[in-house]
Amino acid sequence: MTRETYTLICPECGAHFDPTQPQSYCRSCNSPILAKYDLTAFSRSLDRDEISARPRGMWRWRELLPVQNHSNVITLGEGDTPLLRLEKIGSNLRCSNLFVKDEALNPTGTFKARGMATAVSRAVELGIREFVIPTAGNAGGALAFYAGRAGCKAHVYMPSDTPVPIQTEVKMSGADLHLIDGLISDAARIAAAAAAEHGWFDVSTFKEPYRVEGKKIMGYEIAESMEWKLPDVIIYPTGGGTGLVGMWKAFDEMEALGWIDSRRPRMVTVQSNGCAPVVRAFQHRAERVEFWQNASTIAAGLRVPAVFADRLVLRCLRQSSGTAISVTDEEILTSQRELAAMEGIWAAPEGAAPLAALKYLLKIGWCHSDEKIVLFNTGSGLKYI
Ligand SMILES: *Cc1c(COP(=O)(O)O)cnc(C)c1O
Ligand SMILES: [Zn+2]
């Protein structure tokens, strides 16, 4: 009998799920389930410097990812995005240690590639051949291309007012695109019904356990780039929260591996004030996120009115002594122009939101000019023209 390198556990009730079968989420808790590796064993066998010496890309960290046989990896070259210092913007804001992790350089132009590479690779390894996803846009684009590369069919349900380049991307891949009159939450209902009817595998945010595994590698890359000392603050544009929860998980894994100490960055969620359900829940000290009515923002990836992993997202913000703030679409557009004109980075609106948030956090004294701060640009501005 083969043994997988990890187990699957519900973080709410502790129930175990069989990792040798395709899994979704814990139906009794309505919670995501998470992969747990034998880090005690890895702390003896896995050497961070050996991983640093491997050829570039996300799969350098393969022992910490769920694909069991490396030959089953479906890759387009995701990961190892640059951590760029923001000299000019930093000096204007009197921040001497300001960086952006530029995820726009991933395949399909956003960090969704990391999650989809992982979820599709593991699903195909377990025999899945047909996928479905409701999406605010970029997750659909990423699924379409990774499924296509795997020779699998993808069915993508996205709002009909998603930016045209993202719609075109899905069509170009040969995936089956359904445009929905409504938001990702409406697309989710229709996609779930189609999935049940046809037996397609649903890779919705946190409704399978492996997209978060791919995104957690951003945490490993940041630690490695900063010589295994985490920054003071990470500012992250939050939709479903996959990256936030993933990096938080990665930090715990790295501590268990003996690669970093117990210090953690303060994690900051940024949302648009046209759809800020996490910010509202954080401010109300709530444990759950309530549905945001009439969500509207130019930052398509943040137009996520219901957050399935709400408990994990809010715990990460609180345990890290972080915070959650919203910015206006206008502030996003101003920051987007500054990143482009001053630093040569054409960020997606989502990816410009962290700079808008930073300005506010400096003004109120929550961030300090000498702190090491990492902003996340999650996607390319080219997908929003
Ligand atoms: C999906 C997306 C986000 C939000 O990511 P989560 O990890 O789901 O919170 C942010 N920016 C872009 C460009 C996205 O596509
Ligand atoms: Zn449970």
Side-chain angles (χ1 to χ4, degrees), residues 110-112 138 205 215 236-243 301-302 348 350 378-379 384:
T110 78
F111 68 165
K112 291 293 192 304
N138 289 319
T205 304
K215 276 200 181 173
Y236 182 86
T238 306
T242 326
L302 306 185
E350 297 89 326
T378 45
Y384 294 76

Side-chain angles (χ1 to χ4, degrees), residues 104 109-110 163 165 336 345-350 377-385:
T110 78
Q336 192 183 32
I345 298 166
W346 190 4
E350 297 89 326
N377 172 30
T378 45
S380 166
L382 279 168
K383 299 195 78 177
Y384 294 76
I385 54 179

Side-chain angles (χ1 to χ4, degrees), residues 233-245:
V233 177
I234 292 181
I235 308 185
Y236 182 86
T238 306
T242 326
L244 198 75
V245 171

Side-chain angles (χ1 to χ4, degrees), residues 11 42 60 87 131 165 183 227 234 245 273 279 299 346:
F42 280 156
R60 292 194 286 134
E87 293 281 359
F131 295 88
L183 297 175
E227 270 136 35
I234 292 181
V245 171
N273 69 353
V279 177
W346 190 4

Side-chain angles (χ1 to χ4, degrees), residues 135-137 158-167 178-184 186 295-300 303 383-385:
T135 175
M158 71 167 62
S160 55
D161 58 354
T162 306
V164 171
I166 303 176
Q167 297 185 26
H178 299 258
L179 294 175
I180 305 300
D181 247 335
L183 297 175
I184 183 175
D186 304 296
S296 154
T297 166
I298 51 160
R303 205 169 52 153
K383 299 195 78 177
Y384 294 76
I385 54 179

Side-chain angles (χ1 to χ4, degrees), residues 1-6 20 68:
M1 199 183 88
T2 57
R3 279 282 232 77
E4 314 302 285
T5 50
Y6 64 94
T20 68
Q68 298 296 294

